[in-house]
Amino acid sequence: MYLRKKIIAANWKMNLTSSEVAPYLETFLLETKHIEGVDVVLIPSFTSIPKASELLEKNPKVRLGAQNFSFHEKGAFTGEVSAGMLRDLFVRYVLVGHSERRELFGETDHIVHQKLLTAHRHEIRPILCVGETLEERKNGKAKQVLEHQLKVALADLSHEDLADTIIAYEPIWAIGTGCTATAAEASEMHHFIREVIKELAHKEISQKIRIQYGGSVTPANARELLKSPDIDGALVGGASLDPRAFAEIVKASQG
Ligand code: PGA
């Protein structure tokens, strides 16, 4: 079996200002100072990225991520932020296809695909979010939905880029609802995602690729979810706003 390093990410969404970054990091870094062997990614809003970048410059334990970017290289795209601009601030990860972007901002599978290609071109690791609605799950369509999202998003990626993509399985019914998937439900879907990756590439890559779970992860349920061998980490929204709670989740990844 492939040994995959766990990856825990904090998606702050549209929360916390730039002046809140320093006190947050001070507490979080203190709480996690003995933790090793896990990748931690902080994904603040654009305006907090410069401060986080400055504070984390000499700290290899926490990497920086962004919540969004444009797939255009540069030019007349008022209000947009390019991958190159993020790279310049030492951003190493970027969320792509989060359900809030898909639902509220019209991000289509085609856009998601373009963004994945752009992120890899700039050597920024994409975290590709996929997941079904409650209705799709109830109608027995969850796997079909995931397969479609994955196949469109990951088309034409080299095997190397595929292996370097992180997938976040985020059932939409679990995001911000307090209603988490059980470890068994999540594992089944993670296993299915690996099968799709195997079909797109081959077995070794499907074993190598890391798949996070996201959707109401808290310090109370993280350990149970993260001890499952198919769950390689967590993408945490609400609970990541509290540095102590996020630290607890990072600790839970240690078993
Ligand atoms: P949540 O959000 O932890 O608040 O459910 C997860 C996400 O949207 O990434």
Side-chain angles (χ1 to χ4, degrees):
M1 221 186 70
Y2 220 94
L3 259 190
R4 295 178 293 264
K5 195 174 180 188
K6 299 260 192 229
I7 172 162
I8 314 291
N11 174 13
W12 283 2
K13 307 192 180 184
M14 201 172 75
N15 296 292
L16 302 185
T17 62
S18 181
S19 41
E20 288 170 293
V21 174
Y24 181 104
L25 279 176
E26 197 185 328
T27 305
F28 177 75
L29 293 173
L30 192 69
E31 294 281 327
T32 53
K33 75 170 183 257
H34 299 301
I35 304 285
E36 305 250 315
V38 50
D39 287 336
V40 177
V41 185
L42 187 74
I43 313 180
S45 62
F46 285 136
T47 53
S48 292
I49 286 178
K51 187 73 195 168
S53 182
E54 178 197 319
L55 292 171
L56 293 172
E57 195 191 335
K58 291 192 183 72
N59 190 325
K61 277 172 99 174
V62 182
R63 296 293 188 204
L64 200 50
Q67 298 173 20
N68 187 31
F69 69 111
S70 167
F71 63 79
H72 295 289
E73 286 300 316
K74 61 173 171 174
F77 302 100
T78 302
E80 292 292 278
V81 169
S82 73
M85 291 167 182
L86 295 177
R87 198 53 227 188
D88 193 48
L89 289 170
F90 306 104
V91 168
R92 310 284 189 100
Y93 292 83
V94 74
L95 293 180
V96 179
H98 189 282
S99 63
E100 285 153 18
R101 301 245 25 117
R102 293 182 196 254
E103 278 184 3
L104 307 172
F105 302 100
E107 206 159 289
T108 61
D109 284 323
H110 172 72
I111 296 175
V112 169
H113 174 56
Q114 294 299 322
K115 286 189 171 185
L116 279 180
L117 295 174
T118 308
H120 280 300
R121 218 169 31 246
H122 287 269
E123 295 182 353
I124 298 179
R125 235 177 233 158
I127 300 178
L128 167 64
C129 305
V130 293
E132 79 285 358
T133 62
L134 187 58
E135 194 170 338
E136 287 160 344
R137 173 161 277 256
K138 280 188 180 151
N139 293 336
K141 294 221 166 77
K143 288 184 178 166
Q144 205 177 310
V145 168
L146 286 195
E147 185 171 355
H148 179 78
Q149 289 176 342
L150 290 165
K151 286 192 170 166
V152 178
L154 299 170
D156 312 324
L157 250 68
S158 68
H159 286 182
E160 204 187 1
D161 285 348
L162 195 58
D164 221 17
T165 299
I166 315 279
I167 304 216
Y169 169 57
E170 295 209 305
I172 294 169
W173 47 270
I175 297 180
T177 58
C179 176
T180 331
T182 62
E185 281 168 336
S187 293
E188 186 190 342
M189 300 308 265
H190 286 215
H191 183 75
F192 175 73
I193 291 169
R194 268 186 229 292
E195 290 296 306
V196 177
I197 303 296
K198 190 161 110 190
E199 212 187 298
L200 284 172
H202 51 72
K203 183 149 185 235
E204 202 194 325
I205 289 177
S206 75
Q207 288 304 306
K208 217 169 165 182
I209 202 163
R210 291 186 290 177
I211 308 176
Q212 296 176 309
Y213 167 78
S216 297
V217 175
T218 64
N221 58 34
R223 188 152 298 168
E224 187 63 26
L225 286 159
L226 291 168
K227 77 177 185 214
S228 161
D230 259 317
I231 301 178
D232 307 316
L235 179 54
V236 189
S240 75
L241 298 178
D242 172 352
R244 285 191 182 82
F246 186 53
E248 282 308 308
I249 295 171
V250 171
K251 286 181 202 160
S253 72
Q254 308 268 290

